[in-house]
Amino acid sequence: MTQLPIAKSSQWTQAQMTAFLEKTTVPMRLACHGNAGFPLACSLWFCFQENSLWCASHENSHIVKLLQKNNKVGFEIGVNQPPYQGVRGQGEVTLVRERAADILATMLQRYEIEPDSTLAKWLLSRVKDEYALRIDIKRITAWDYTQRMQTGK
């Protein structure tokens, strides 16, 4: 397995990060460069494959248009209930049309969207206009507040 570019200050090993990224199904928060010079944050479903984070988005979405101008991003994937833990980092996005159908199908299964649901049918009806977003991780770190949140510590 290729090594992730893990920050020295990270609280987790690569194996711990990989396990977290494979099991966690909260949306990823992706930050990119906005039009007015301010960062823009967007929540997206994600999966972790081939040491990259993958998402999907429609070609006309605001996030895709911004990524076409500047592909450098920040990301965070963290659980929303105590004890708080997660990963964050930076990367570069490549828009991959050829993987869109595969990644979208993976997302529907991963986030337990019923294949015959209105949402799944709508998303799949637009698949030819989707991009897979491959985030090549340039730096990643993990935080874990489990010990500090335990009672009596």
Side-chain angles (χ1 to χ4, degrees):
M1 175 188 277
T2 306
Q3 283 296 112
L4 287 170
I6 300 172
K8 289 180 182 175
S9 61
S10 180
Q11 292 186 295
W12 291 346
T13 65
Q14 178 157 331
Q16 290 171 301
M17 280 189 203
T18 299
F20 176 82
L21 292 169
E22 289 175 349
K23 74 174 182 176
T24 302
T25 55
V26 297
M28 171 176 54
R29 291 171 285 278
L30 187 71
C32 66
H33 298 269
N35 286 329
F38 291 96
L40 176 96
C42 180
S43 295
L44 296 168
W45 291 343
F46 80 96
C47 64
F48 183 67
Q49 297 178 357
E50 305 151 8
N51 266 12
S52 293
L53 295 166
W54 289 83
C55 306
S57 192
H58 193 269
E59 66 185 2
N60 291 330
S61 68
H62 189 57
I63 191 79
V64 165
K65 291 183 185 310
L66 292 174
L67 291 170
Q68 288 171 330
K69 294 177 186 175
N70 188 329
N71 72 336
K72 292 180 176 21
V73 296
F75 61 85
E76 180 176 85
I77 302 158
V79 297
N80 295 320
Q81 57 276 2
Y84 301 113
Q85 56 185 225
V87 299
R88 67 173 62 103
Q90 295 89 33
E92 294 178 348
V93 175
T94 302
L95 301 174
V96 185
R97 181 83 73 183
E98 309 79 55
R99 293 283 311 270
D102 171 51
I103 294 298
L104 189 55
T106 297
M107 297 300 171
L108 292 173
Q109 183 177 14
R110 178 172 162 78
Y111 288 87
E112 299 179 357
I113 306 301
E114 292 295 326
D116 60 344
S117 70
T118 303
L119 176 60
K121 288 177 182 177
W122 178 71
L123 288 171
L124 293 171
S125 74
R126 306 163 12 128
V127 74
K128 68 179 178 33
D129 299 324
E130 293 280 324
Y131 278 111
L133 285 59
R134 184 184 72 227
I135 303 168
D136 295 315
I137 300 167
K138 302 301 179 187
R139 180 181 181 279
I140 191 167
T141 190
W143 77 96
D144 189 340
Y145 297 159
T146 301
Q147 282 193 322
R148 74 169 76 165
M149 294 185 81
Q150 289 178 347
T151 54
K153 298 243 177 190

